[in-house]
Amino acid sequence: MENTVLHRAETRGHANHGWLDSHHTFSFANYHNPDRMHFGVLRVLNDDEVAAGMGFGTHPHSNMEIISIPLEGDLEHKDSMGNTAVIKKGDIQVMSAGTGVQHSEYNRNEDKLTKFLQIWIFPNKQNVDPRYDQITLTKSDRENKLQQILSPNPEDEGVWIHQDAWFHLGKFDNDITTEYTLKKEGNGVYAFILEGSFTVNGVELNRRDGLGVWDVENIQIGATSENSEILLMEVPMALRRL
């Protein structure tokens, strides 16, 4: 277990602001844990619930790759680049903050929560031109297999970011197994269980548990309940900025 780190769901940081109920896998805002600062270049993994009619007012970001994955409901995005868009379950959104961008995010629904993952990745290039993109994923492409949703390559499947990172989503029936082979030497994988339960490299994981693994060529994944969903985030373990 020298090359793994386990984060059980109940050990995450938690902040309930009324309009926002957020669980932090890594140190964020008022939650500070020196042992949970990041996993390689994966800096933030927030599991957010936004109340009906509420949201994040306009605020700045710079030199960070920001990924949003809606899990329930939808979220309206506006930014200083002139983009206005709504993301909903089945979409993935990416923003390269680069030299600086301001944006807001709101749940415009008056009768239901919005739930989404907010993920920050340190980029491998500083002060790039800010950029926004979103796509709608094909859900059937992750049935009992891993669907690539993010990579470093604009021509590849999914969205792209300024980092040698690859994200995959998978939805598996009970007892279905698969293997994930890492794309690049020096990378690690952080597995986050969205729903159900899995065994990852022999470790039993349940809903919202996270497991980071590094110094391996591949990892073994097996669903241990029906309709289990997993997010795999392969990221560099060392931060190198150009």
Side-chain angles (χ1 to χ4, degrees):
M1 300 291 286
E2 291 180 357
N3 63 330
T4 65
V5 61
L6 174 61
H7 298 140
R8 294 293 182 192
E10 64 271 15
T11 69
R12 296 177 297 170
H14 181 222
N16 191 337
H17 303 284
W19 67 273
L20 172 68
D21 191 3
S22 183
H23 288 83
H24 313 310
T25 294
F26 304 105
S27 293
F28 187 85
N30 291 330
Y31 169 61
H32 179 77
N33 182 338
D35 296 325
R36 306 254 301 245
M37 296 303 298
H38 58 91
F39 176 80
V41 302
L42 174 58
R43 173 61 188 89
V44 169
L45 174 55
N46 286 353
D47 183 7
D48 290 345
E49 294 186 2
V50 182
M54 304 299 289
F56 302 85
T58 301
H59 58 281
H61 292 283
S62 62
N63 287 318
M64 194 69 73
E65 302 292 303
I66 299 171
I67 301 106
S68 296
I69 303 177
L71 303 176
E72 184 179 311
D74 50 59
L75 198 66
E76 179 188 272
H77 166 98
K78 290 185 178 180
D79 64 42
S80 54
M81 295 176 281
N83 298 297
T84 299
V86 176
I87 57 171
K88 58 186 182 300
K89 184 176 180 179
D91 295 343
I92 180 171
Q93 175 199 77
V94 65
M95 188 170 67
S96 298
T99 54
V101 67
Q102 297 196 42
H103 77 138
S104 62
E105 297 163 295
Y106 278 93
N107 175 6
R108 296 296 184 188
N109 299 296
E110 297 183 358
D111 58 351
K112 60 183 178 181
L113 288 170
T114 290
K115 301 180 182 181
F116 76 109
L117 298 181
Q118 180 182 170
I119 302 166
W120 296 7
I121 301 285
F122 288 120
N124 57 15
K125 295 180 181 178
Q126 296 287 286
N127 300 318
V128 300
D129 291 335
R131 178 183 63 94
Y132 176 86
D133 193 18
Q134 73 178 76
I135 61 171
T136 298
L137 303 166
T138 303
K139 296 179 183 179
S140 60
D141 288 348
R142 75 185 76 133
E143 295 290 339
N144 288 320
K145 58 184 177 181
L146 295 171
Q147 174 192 31
Q148 182 174 293
I149 64 169
L150 176 147
S151 79
N153 307 309
E155 299 82 14
D156 245 355
E157 294 177 90
V159 295
W160 67 276
I161 63 171
H162 295 283
Q163 188 52 271
D164 292 324
W166 289 262
F167 285 15
H168 289 76
L169 281 173
K171 184 175 182 179
F172 293 88
D173 297 328
N174 189 26
D175 291 332
I176 299 294
T177 62
T178 191
E179 179 179 271
Y180 177 79
T181 300
L182 278 72
K183 309 287 188 185
K184 186 170 182 180
E185 187 176 353
N187 280 5
V189 176
Y190 194 88
F192 189 67
I193 310 307
L194 299 177
E195 299 292 342
S197 57
F198 286 84
T199 298
V200 177
N201 273 16
V203 180
E204 287 285 347
L205 301 173
N206 297 306
R207 185 178 186 272
R208 298 315 205 251
D209 288 346
L211 179 74
V213 184
W214 62 96
D215 290 340
V216 296
E217 294 182 357
N218 51 63
I219 60 172
Q220 308 300 317
I221 302 162
T224 54
S225 63
E226 288 297 325
N227 299 316
S228 292
E229 298 181 48
I230 191 169
L231 170 64
L232 295 183
M233 294 169 279
E234 177 183 340
V235 296
M237 296 305 293
L239 180 59
R240 298 182 179 90
R241 289 174 174 168
L242 301 180

